[in-house]
Amino acid sequence: QVQLVESGGGSVQAGGSLTLSCAPSEYTDSAYSMAWFRQAPGKERVGVAGLYTDGSGTYYADSVKGRFTMSQNNAKNTLYLKMNNLKPEDTAMYYCAAAFGTEAVDYGLATPQSYTYWGQGTQVTVSS
């Protein structure tokens, strides 16, 4: 069972930056798609950014476009999320997700049901 491990969360002031990382706990074949989701207390988990690992497509939520940048290291099956100009509304638990099947083609990169494997989450807190 593949496990994803996120790191890089923390507490910052508004306008600050953080970079999240997500890597599998052991060697795996390359995932077909990977994504970042976030969930604030009392709210649903929503897609922040996602990509097909072959480079054929990406997704960013409107709320993070121009501020967040996702990248990958295919050799290590590692996903990154560089977050700039953070706002208090970005405060949430951030989760990494991966899929080895093609579910994202049908359901979309930003849909939780597109992904089979999830990390435990890393907390991001932005103070005003």
Side-chain angles (χ1 to χ4, degrees), residues 53-65:
T53 59
D54 65 0
S56 61
T58 59
Y59 164 84
Y60 288 95
D62 288 342
S63 59
V64 306
K65 283 180 181 177

Side-chain angles (χ1 to χ4, degrees), residues 9-46:
S11 297
V12 297
Q13 290 190 328
S17 298
L18 286 172
T19 299
L20 306 183
S21 300
C22 168
S25 58
E26 58 187 47
Y27 174 79
T28 67
D29 292 332
S30 294
Y32 182 80
S33 59
M34 298 185 75
W36 289 98
F37 288 77
R38 67 186 182 188
Q39 187 168 20
K43 296 188 177 181
E44 293 185 350
R45 188 171 299 189
V46 296

Side-chain angles (χ1 to χ4, degrees), residues 38-45 88-93 95 123-125:
R38 67 186 182 188
Q39 187 168 20
K43 296 188 177 181
E44 293 185 350
R45 188 171 299 189
E89 52 263 42
D90 294 318
T91 295
M93 185 72 78
Y95 297 91
Q123 178 67 37
V124 172
T125 302

Side-chain angles (χ1 to χ4, degrees), residues 1 10 16 19 26 30 35-36 41 46 48 50 54 60 64 68 72 75 77 83 85 100 108 115 118 121 127:
Q1 181 83 4
T19 299
E26 58 187 47
S30 294
W36 289 98
V46 296
V48 174
D54 65 0
Y60 288 95
V64 306
F68 290 12
Q72 61 177 328
N77 229 6
M83 306 184 295
N85 191 22
F100 293 88
Y115 301 94
W118 292 83
S127 58

Side-chain angles (χ1 to χ4, degrees), residues 80-124:
Y80 304 96
L81 186 68
K82 173 68 173 176
M83 306 184 295
N84 293 326
N85 191 22
L86 282 160
K87 303 176 180 181
E89 52 263 42
D90 294 318
T91 295
M93 185 72 78
Y94 284 70
Y95 297 91
C96 175
F100 293 88
T102 60
E103 293 88 341
V105 174
D106 294 325
Y107 299 115
L109 287 168
T111 307
Q113 51 261 49
S114 295
Y115 301 94
T116 306
Y117 301 99
W118 292 83
Q120 294 298 312
T122 185
Q123 178 67 37
V124 172

